[in-house]
Amino acid sequence: MIAIGGGGFIPARILRTFLTRQNRKNIPIQAIGLSLYEDLYVSTQDEQALQAATLGKSGTQVIKTQWLHFGPPIVTTLLGKNILIVDEVDDTRTTLAYAVQELTKDIEELKKKFVFEHPGEEIPETKLGVFVIHNKKKEKRMEIPDVSILKGGRYWAANETPDRWLVYPWEAADIEEHTKKSLVMNNS
């Protein structure tokens, strides 16, 4: 299981409680950090010029802040596995599409290495899946590059929701205040 941080950490941990391997061992949770480009405070003139040039493009560029590192041998870590990518929300689908794209690149590289190191052997099949707590029902900016995920029934959303702002309890500094606001929002 691969959690997209920070939103995917808690859902991945909860899912792990209900998913087990055939050998009854816990499913490991790996973490990747992906962030959509956001307007950040900039101090130099060059950085201010860059920000001005990219104004209006916020949320269109994904930046890797952390990626997988299993240590050797990585071949046995991704190949032949069912890998579930977990995040809290599928909003624009940009982050999910990027995660699938980059994992697919890694898997393709590992396949080449496997063929070189194990000539004549069949390459173990790797399947990617996606789980989100909420899928916002709206047009997405990007499609998941591996169409077999959607067509093959390996995309799961616990809840389909209209396009509205979502705040999760683990994002609240004050859970009691969060609960009050949540109740007010649900009644309006």
Side-chain angles (χ1 to χ4, degrees), residues 12-62:
R13 176 55 191 97
I14 293 168
L15 275 174
R16 189 175 89 165
T17 300
F18 300 100
L19 301 175
T20 58
R21 292 183 186 175
Q22 291 176 348
N23 63 7
R24 300 264 191 238
K25 290 185 178 179
N26 281 336
I27 294 173
I29 299 172
Q30 302 295 330
I32 58 175
L34 300 176
S35 179
L36 284 176
Y37 173 83
E38 297 175 11
D39 292 337
L40 303 173
Y41 172 78
V42 291
S43 58
T44 69
Q45 281 187 319
D46 289 342
E47 290 171 328
Q48 290 171 353
L50 175 63
Q51 186 176 34
T54 60
L55 194 60
K57 296 180 184 176
S58 179
T60 59
Q61 179 185 359
V62 179

Side-chain angles (χ1 to χ4, degrees), residues 1-5 7-13 15-16 19 27-34 66-70 77-78 81-88 96 99-100 102-104 106-107 126-132:
M1 188 176 321
I2 297 175
I4 298 176
F9 293 155
I10 292 173
R13 176 55 191 97
L15 275 174
R16 189 175 89 165
L19 301 175
I27 294 173
I29 299 172
Q30 302 295 330
I32 58 175
L34 300 176
Q66 176 183 337
W67 201 246
L68 302 172
H69 178 72
F70 299 103
T77 311
L78 293 177
K81 305 291 183 191
N82 293 317
I83 300 170
L84 186 62
I85 302 164
V86 180
D87 207 357
E88 85 276 39
L96 288 170
V100 170
E102 293 301 302
L103 282 167
T104 301
D106 289 350
I107 291 164
T126 301
K127 290 183 183 176
L128 297 176
V130 171
F131 173 84
V132 293

Side-chain angles (χ1 to χ4, degrees), residues 162-175:
D163 184 16
R164 62 179 180 209
W165 187 253
L166 299 169
V167 180
Y168 296 95
W170 54 85
E171 296 174 336
D174 181 339
I175 192 64

Side-chain angles (χ1 to χ4, degrees), residues 84 127-131 146-157:
L84 186 62
K127 290 183 183 176
L128 297 176
V130 171
F131 173 84
D146 180 349
V147 294
S148 72
I149 291 173
L150 295 172
K151 292 183 178 182
R154 296 191 315 271
Y155 176 92
W156 298 275

